[in-house]
Amino acid sequence: MENIISAKNIYKFYGEYDGKFEALKDINLDIKRGEFIGIMGPSGSGKSTLINILSTLDNHTKGNLFINGQDISKINNKELSDFRMKNIGFIFQNHNLLDTLTNRDNILTPLIIAEKGRDESNRIVVELAKKLGIEELLDKYPSECSGGQRRRVAIARALSNKPNIIVADEPTDSLDVKMAMEVIETLKRLNIEDGMTVILVTHDQLIGSYCDRVVLVKDGKLENEIVREYKNGEEQIEFYRKVVNLTSKNIEDLLGVI
Ligand code: ADP
Ligand code: MG
């Protein structure tokens, strides 16, 4: 399968004069079209920095980033923002819905920015609402919805421009288990049914077990990765155990367990 995103020797430095901080060090990562990849690791390890760079929201300091085989350093800002608008749907940690707009208008916002016609936009909203089971919520305000419902509205908004990549930074953070499962199962369905590439940051092992592959970030480096062996019939529960193993190594390190 072809790579949709390819990071080669990526570094990210924060700060210039009073002490440079290396947030990412020599990251090499290929993400295949249609893949569901998880990025895990302790707090402060560089997960958000990495996902922001992979999705072109932030600039890297050194190295090369290729999207659809094209080196993004050779693309101007206008082309890059067009690319983002057409290809990537973002789901942020704090869902970022506007409280003064109804859910319908929140979902419509990216379509208005993209200057889609009113009829087509309304059709897209209804179609997405059906897919995400939020038809009854369209005329409510975000503040009238539960946490899980708001995340689903945020997913609908992220999908309204029909992206082929979904980038989600801790989309289930601060949700209870049931709501978190609703969100992750929605993302999994979009991945399987529509072939969307999903790049997900999470520190939740159960959420990680929905991925095809999980990479572990530690101190700004890609430390390790595990892949779900669908070919060998590996069940999600077995992959979950691998995720637990992978991420608990960190805890053991922190506790000084050998
Ligand atoms: P994570 O998402 O894994 O919790 P982040 O990518 O947010 O980690 O941060 C990685 C490291 O980079 C942290 O030590 C954080 O303090 C630092 N960092 C993140 N953003 C900035 C910034 N804008 N300026 C300086 N340091 C930053
Ligand atoms: Mg983060």
Side-chain angles (χ1 to χ4, degrees):
M1 255 193 295
E2 71 191 288
N3 292 328
I4 194 161
I5 294 177
S6 182
K8 303 276 183 224
N9 312 107
I10 293 275
Y11 288 77
K12 175 70 177 178
F13 305 151
Y14 286 120
E16 281 179 33
Y17 306 107
D18 48 352
K20 187 173 75 171
F21 177 72
E22 290 194 2
L24 293 179
K25 297 160 201 163
D26 202 18
I27 300 282
N28 287 288
L29 182 64
D30 290 333
I31 300 176
K32 292 188 181 67
R33 189 178 291 281
E35 191 176 15
F36 195 132
I37 183 171
I39 300 171
M40 298 187 71
S43 177
S45 57
K47 304 181 297 297
S48 294
T49 304
L50 178 59
I51 203 171
N52 288 344
I53 288 175
L54 295 175
S55 59
T56 75
L57 279 185
D58 195 4
N59 296 318
H60 53 283
T61 314
K62 243 170 58 177
N64 294 91
L65 181 69
F66 298 87
I67 293 190
N68 288 329
Q70 202 177 0
D71 187 337
I72 66 142
S73 67
K74 307 217 160 68
I75 308 179
N76 68 36
N77 280 342
K78 164 85 176 68
E79 281 173 333
L80 206 53
S81 68
D82 268 5
F83 168 83
R84 266 196 299 272
M85 197 164 74
K86 291 200 185 108
N87 292 281
I88 308 183
F90 293 94
I91 304 166
F92 296 102
Q93 195 161 356
N94 51 351
H95 61 80
N96 279 2
L97 295 174
L98 298 171
D99 280 325
T100 52
L101 299 181
T102 61
N103 290 326
R104 182 192 304 277
D105 288 342
N106 265 292
I107 302 170
L108 277 169
T109 314
L111 295 165
I112 294 166
I113 295 170
E115 298 176 346
K116 285 252 162 60
R118 183 187 293 250
D119 286 351
E120 194 194 347
S121 299
N122 286 327
R123 192 183 51 69
I124 292 172
V125 172
V126 171
E127 193 182 293
L128 280 171
K130 260 197 205 130
K131 193 168 184 79
L132 297 172
I134 52 170
E135 290 150 291
E136 261 95 82
L137 305 176
L138 284 179
D139 293 314
K140 290 194 171 171
Y141 287 86
S143 59
E144 298 172 305
C145 300
S146 72
Q149 290 172 333
R150 283 201 290 267
R151 297 291 160 115
R152 274 186 289 155
V153 173
I155 294 177
R157 185 185 53 181
L159 294 177
S160 60
N161 275 339
K162 300 196 186 314
N164 44 46
I165 308 172
I166 298 186
V167 167
D169 192 350
E170 310 256 18
T172 61
D173 197 43
S174 72
L175 292 182
D176 65 35
V177 175
K178 191 166 164 284
M179 291 175 184
M181 303 280 278
E182 265 180 31
V183 168
I184 190 69
E185 278 169 8
T186 302
L187 291 176
K188 189 75 182 175
R189 201 149 45 80
L190 291 164
N191 170 252
I192 291 175
E193 289 174 8
D194 302 340
M196 276 190 203
T197 307
V198 181
I199 309 174
L200 167 92
V201 166
T202 184
H203 60 255
D204 184 312
Q205 296 163 330
L206 180 59
I207 298 298
S209 74
Y210 282 81
C211 300
D212 300 328
R213 173 163 64 129
V214 171
V215 297
L216 181 71
V217 182
K218 205 175 146 196
D219 297 330
K221 287 197 201 127
L222 279 192
E223 175 97 352
N224 211 340
E225 75 167 30
I226 51 170
V227 180
R228 183 161 165 196
E229 305 280 354
Y230 290 100
K231 269 191 300 210
N232 301 338
E234 185 174 52
E235 297 289 340
Q236 185 176 359
I237 183 72
E238 296 168 58
F239 190 61
Y240 169 76
R241 288 193 191 106
K242 278 197 198 166
V243 172
V244 170
N245 245 327
L246 178 80
T247 47
S248 56
K249 274 215 186 75
N250 272 307
I251 310 284
E252 288 174 9
D253 285 349
L254 288 171
L255 295 175
V257 178
I258 300 159

